[in-house]
Amino acid sequence: MDFGTASQRLTRTDAAGPGRDGVLRTLRTGPFRFETGGSLPFLDVGYETWGRLDADASNAVLLHHALTGDTHVARGEGAEPGWWDGFVGPGRTIDTDRFFVVAANMVGGCYGTTGPSSPDPDGRPWGSRFPFTTVRDSVRAEARLADALGIDRWHTVLGGSLGGARALEWAAEYPDRVARCVVVAATAASSAEQIAFARIQTEAIRLDPDFAGGDYYAAGPGPVAGLGLARRLAHITYRSEPELDVRFGRSPQGSELPLGSATFDRGRYQVESYLDHQASKLVGRFDANSYLALTEALMSHDVGRGRGGVRSALGRLAGVRFMVAAVDSDRLYWPEQSERLARSLPGRTAVRYITSPIGHDGFLTDIGQLDAELRDGFLD
Amino acid sequence: MDFGTASQRLTRTDAAGPGRDGVLRTLRTGPFRFETGGSLPFLDVGYETWGRLDADASNAVLLHHALTGDTHVARGEGAEPGWWDGFVGPGRTIDTDRFFVVAANMVGGCYGTTGPSSPDPDGRPWGSRFPFTTVRDSVRAEARLADALGIDRWHTVLGGSLGGARALEWAAEYPDRVARCVVVAATAASSAEQIAFARIQTEAIRLDPDFAGGDYYAAGPGPVAGLGLARRLAHITYRSEPELDVRFGRSPQGSELPLGSATFDRGRYQVESYLDHQASKLVGRFDANSYLALTEALMSHDVGRGRGGVRSALGRLAGVRFMVAAVDSDRLYWPEQSERLARSLPGRTAVRYITSPIGHDGFLTDIGQLDAELRDGFLD
């Protein structure tokens, strides 16, 4: 099964030695016990690095991808651009001439780390047998990666959206191993609304007759219609109402006729075609079971779980320096939720705002707005 | 096929004489040509009335239901309460002691008016052969009903959400037949975002293997999973983020365990159970094809279509007195859209606000807040 560029990178990777920038490598762990009780005989943790770890291992930065992201944050040896290229690289905000940058794929993903599409010891995809996984599981797997890389304490952990949840969970799980934590467009715990939108998406995948209970790998391409539907909805929530209105309004797609007639099926509005395009891009590169697993990990996100609640969990992180940022037009991870997160942290942490009309995705497109704040003071 | 209470009312109705309050009756039209080209040999238009039409037919009020609403706006002879009981009835804002109140089911619906589940002349449900229908089709069908009832000009047409679109379309299609028009939580034309959310819902129904291309009536209950999924999403958009957060937060449903384990499927969060409940209520009372047809009618809503655009269409309605109202926390029919609608109308029309934390559904639960404005001046 091929989930696009990352899998291809994985193939290239197997031949790559350590320390090559932006090339996917894999760490194989021993037996891994999941937070909620499952276990696997081993995990492969897919990761990429950029730059060099300094002698006292004090310059390591961990970057966290969002729901369907991958480890290719920045350009490396190859030509393929990273998804945060303007933000991470030589001379960039996260300066790979200065920092040793690491990005790992989430547990349950399909970009190098073991997930439902990965083979079990007999070569059969785990499929429906893949354990329920949480953000905390990914953080614990990354801690093993940090051990293997010789990183005792991160200079900075940073992420947006589900990646922001992962950064925060890192600070809460290993406060002594995190000096700075940057949480962008994320919450301390997934809200009722985030859970609700997520549930529609998981349900759409399960409704697809090709889902086959999660064991679809031998039969064909799997539940691509359901995954596409999930992505369409997700993409609406990633964008703001005015963004969709200004870009598409009620325009028809090309010469299509969105009003049906007695003899023809109706054509599409531009906004429908746009969502179709988003869906088709995703289904070509992402595994539906991974989408399910990571979406349920998102739903499970609660930094206060098993730690006496959010305030208690965050209240004891006085040793970590935080930056909390939000996109002002975000209507999936509402700015008020970032404000609440900031208020729960020790000390006075003012929320930094990314100003963008487009909504949640501003954490990807406009992260550069945090450049000055990060360089002048926060990262030292 | 039985879609619940309305169908039962239809049965009772056949025996009911004219003029009985809150009892479903049916007007059968002649051949009906749809806006976009389809046609049917006849339409049944299901409707209810309350009160008495005065001698000069000057006291008739037409109320419009929303997407899955029905004609039973207010209590009548029977015990069944109406969905706007506090707003419509003797001595209420829409005072049935003073007004002759009419409510008709939309074309394509399943509450008395011909829709995809209605039998063709051979007794077979129209199913996939039902023509594409628009809000304008419903208005034109209602004009035939007005003719039959002897109503040349409505004292007031009023509706919320898709019902508000219908009220506005009435004024635009028959400006001489509408004295007053009240548009609550609606837009002049469905926006890109409304189209996008609607598309997810229609796609969910079509993804259900039991949809069978729309001709599912003989085979069983039809695409109830897809319809339920559509309703879950719709319901999220009907409510505000804070409403969901305050009511449900991250609480688990009863003793269910939302975090999965190695041996059990995961349980639900309360908010998931709540959405499941909304879905299960709807699928017991609504036809999936009607949901599709009316959702596509919603997508098609554009009062400016064929009239030189929204501003031109509304600009010539100086003879109609308008009230535009919005729910301040609405995030499906954003207040800004009501402001834009009001600015496009002749004269100065200030938007009235329903203050409610719950979101779009405030047009149902808190319509009473318009009581004083409607009674003191607007309705005379």
Side-chain angles (χ1 to χ4, degrees), chain A residues 104-173:
Chain A
N105 186 217
M106 278 187 80
V107 174
C110 52
Y111 285 126
T113 294
T114 301
S117 61
S118 304
D120 69 9
D122 298 327
R124 216 158 46 99
W126 288 108
S128 64
R129 298 168 299 148
F130 194 82
F132 186 94
T133 187
T134 64
V135 174
R136 208 166 290 180
D137 290 325
S138 283
V139 164
R140 289 174 181 168
E142 286 157 10
R144 298 207 198 174
L145 174 63
D147 295 343
L149 294 170
I151 297 161
D152 190 49
R153 187 169 190 235
W154 296 102
H155 178 282
T156 300
V157 297
L158 181 155
S161 192
L162 183 55
R166 204 146 45 116
L168 187 65
E169 184 65 42
W170 245 102
E173 184 72 356

Side-chain angles (χ1 to χ4, degrees), chain A residues 190-197, chain B residues 241 244-245 248-250 271:
Chain A
S190 292
S191 69
E193 178 176 285
Q194 287 149 8
I195 292 170
F197 277 129
Chain B
E241 191 279 328
L244 296 174
D245 192 44
F248 306 112
R250 296 185 47 77
V271 68

Side-chain angles (χ1 to χ4, degrees), chain A residues 1 12 18 88 109 111 124 200 209 257 261 302 330 378:
Chain A
M1 192 111 212
R12 276 191 270 128
V88 184
Y111 285 126
R124 216 158 46 99
I200 308 297
L257 302 169
S261 73
D302 180 359
D330 198 327
F378 191 83

